[in-house]
Amino acid sequence: MKVLVITRAPWRNDNNTGNTLTNLFCEMDDIEFYSIYLRDQVPDNAIAARSFSISERQLLNNLFKKTVVGKEIFANDKTEAMMEENIYSFAKKKGNMFLVWLRDVLWSFGQWKNDNLKNFIKDINPDVIFMPMFCCVYPYRVIHYISKITKAKIILFHPDDNYTLKQFSLSPIFWLYRFNLRKWVKKIVNISDVNYAISHIQKEEYEKAFNKPFKVLTKGLDFDEVPKFKTEYNKPLQLVFTGNIGVNRWRSLAIIADALKEINADGIKAQMKIYTATPITEKLEKALNIENSSKIMGFVDSSEVAGIQSNADILVHVEAMDLKNKLLVRQSFSTKIVDYFKSARPILAVGPKDVASIDHLIRNDCAIVADNKQELVEKLTEYINNNDKLTEIAVKGYECGKKYHNKGKNYSMLIEDL
């Protein structure tokens, strides 16, 4: 069987999409994988047999220099991707909808539907097309075109909400783009054969919206070997957060820091350490560095994270509370939580209780969950100095990981659907 995977960024193990794809497909030795991606750079994975690149830089060069768009990429190729990546970073940082529209116009009229692409597709002759869904229109034009050429079955993976109107923006341009995006998402879902949702919330909403069945698919890990749960905990209790604190996640961490300050008023009972690569402003410094209660530790290499988490007493997960960011991640599921389940440590989650990541923890009663300071103070006080309750919540977390995020179950479902 041959599977063609379509992505925006190249399939690399060091980016989020590529890491997820490798996690899903790494043990499928009897299936041939191929990659088409819509940027420059070189792929870095041990799964895709051949890769083909189309990018904005190629489209612009075609426009001004009449060079041919689209080429097969090999491991030793070098690409001039810096300009393109800088534009992506700027547009993402500034939320510049004009650049988003301009990019889609370029893909609408660019000469990428050519013999280079057709020959690559006909040569690999895929049986199945697999594509994660994106928050921009142009990848949907690509999969729609390729599906017509190949007549292959289509499997879609929905990692975020790119369809509902439950978003917040005061920009008319944002809403014009959202309605156009919805049109394309619906068009591609209508021609698809299998759809994977990232969360139970998304599954329930999308099944109603599209009148099609959806299955839940998340990052999977090996939960077969029972871990060593902690029975003795540090005094003071050590809470650890690792990850990005942008998009207002830091405000939820500030709630924890403030709660710990109150809890520690008559003696140090618990402390939080924050490991992050997010640039620290004076505002963040003031909110998160609280003597004897909370400390920003800065960046650590990914190779050190597992060890830090293993030494922690409680692992912290946060989601933003403000309306815009809450709606942005409402259907999304953080892969970090699967890592937390695997680590067999108690989880503390602070954020809106109706977003998918927090909802999953509540549904399975496998974390200490709060959405305000007073509730957090009460719950943490209940767990501090109660080793049995901490171990109980850690066991529940591991069992949740085993039930819903077991790599073996993911593999069986994917193989059956393919």
Side-chain angles (χ1 to χ4, degrees), residues 56-304:
E56 272 94 68
R57 185 178 63 84
Q58 295 171 28
L59 292 171
L60 287 170
N61 283 343
N62 172 263
L63 190 63
F64 295 108
K65 301 178 183 179
K66 303 305 178 184
T67 55
V68 179
V69 175
K71 60 180 180 178
E72 186 164 356
I73 300 294
F74 302 94
N76 59 351
D77 282 348
K78 293 183 179 179
T79 58
E80 301 170 15
M82 188 58 68
M83 177 187 75
E84 188 181 54
E85 291 304 309
N86 286 341
I87 292 172
Y88 273 109
S89 298
F90 178 82
K92 185 175 180 180
K93 184 177 179 181
K94 301 298 182 182
N96 194 313
M97 291 304 298
F98 174 73
L99 287 178
V100 173
W101 275 104
L102 192 61
R103 179 180 60 194
D104 280 339
V105 170
L106 182 62
W107 280 88
S108 297
F109 297 101
Q111 302 300 308
W112 54 271
K113 298 177 184 178
N114 56 32
D115 288 341
N116 278 12
L117 177 59
K118 289 178 184 176
N119 290 338
F120 180 80
I121 294 168
K122 289 178 180 178
D123 192 28
I124 64 175
N125 190 26
D127 303 293
V128 176
I129 301 170
F130 182 98
M131 190 178 84
M133 301 294 274
F134 298 104
C135 62
C136 47
V137 168
Y138 67 95
Y140 304 127
R141 296 184 187 277
V142 175
I143 190 174
H144 190 260
Y145 174 72
I146 293 175
S147 71
K148 288 194 295 185
I149 294 176
T150 63
K151 307 300 182 185
K153 300 291 186 180
I154 296 175
I155 297 180
L156 303 175
F157 176 53
H158 302 256
D160 298 294
D161 176 17
N162 295 308
Y163 185 75
T164 78
L165 296 176
K166 294 179 180 179
Q167 299 288 313
F168 177 80
S169 177
L170 299 177
S171 166
I173 299 176
F174 170 89
W175 288 110
L176 282 171
Y177 193 85
R178 185 74 177 182
F179 280 107
N180 190 39
L181 178 66
R182 279 168 56 88
K183 181 190 77 173
W184 274 97
V185 169
K186 188 174 182 63
K187 178 184 288 190
I188 301 307
V189 171
N190 283 344
I191 63 171
S192 67
D193 298 278
V194 177
N195 281 271
Y196 293 122
I198 192 68
S199 66
H200 290 284
I201 287 178
Q202 187 182 66
K203 168 183 162 63
E204 292 164 1
E205 293 188 6
Y206 275 18
E207 283 182 338
K208 292 178 182 177
F210 298 112
N211 195 29
K212 275 196 168 193
F214 278 70
K215 300 180 180 182
V216 176
L217 178 66
T218 63
K219 176 181 179 179
L221 293 175
D222 182 3
F223 286 89
D224 292 338
E225 185 178 341
V226 179
K228 185 177 180 181
F229 294 98
K230 264 194 172 188
T231 54
E232 297 295 327
Y233 295 83
N234 293 297
K235 293 185 178 181
L237 210 62
Q238 296 299 302
L239 284 66
V240 166
F241 175 87
T242 55
N244 172 31
I245 62 175
V247 293
N248 277 343
R249 288 192 184 96
W250 71 269
R251 293 186 183 276
S252 295
L253 284 172
I255 292 174
I256 300 174
D258 204 27
L260 291 175
K261 181 181 178 181
E262 182 176 323
I263 290 170
N264 292 333
D266 59 350
I268 304 172
K269 302 178 184 69
Q271 299 173 314
M272 177 171 63
K273 293 179 180 177
I274 301 166
Y275 296 87
T276 183
T278 304
I280 305 301
T281 63
E282 187 176 334
K283 182 187 288 187
L284 268 64
E285 179 89 23
K286 185 177 179 181
L288 299 178
N289 271 338
I290 297 179
E291 188 176 2
N292 295 325
S293 294
S294 176
K295 186 176 182 181
I296 300 171
M297 307 301 292
F299 170 76
V300 289
D301 189 83
S302 58
S303 61
E304 300 177 55

Side-chain angles (χ1 to χ4, degrees), residues 314 346-350 361 366-370 376 379-380 383 390 393:
I314 295 177
I347 298 171
L348 169 66
V350 174
L361 298 173
C366 60
I368 307 163
V369 179
L376 183 57
K379 288 193 173 182
L380 275 178
Y383 278 86
L390 286 170
I393 207 75

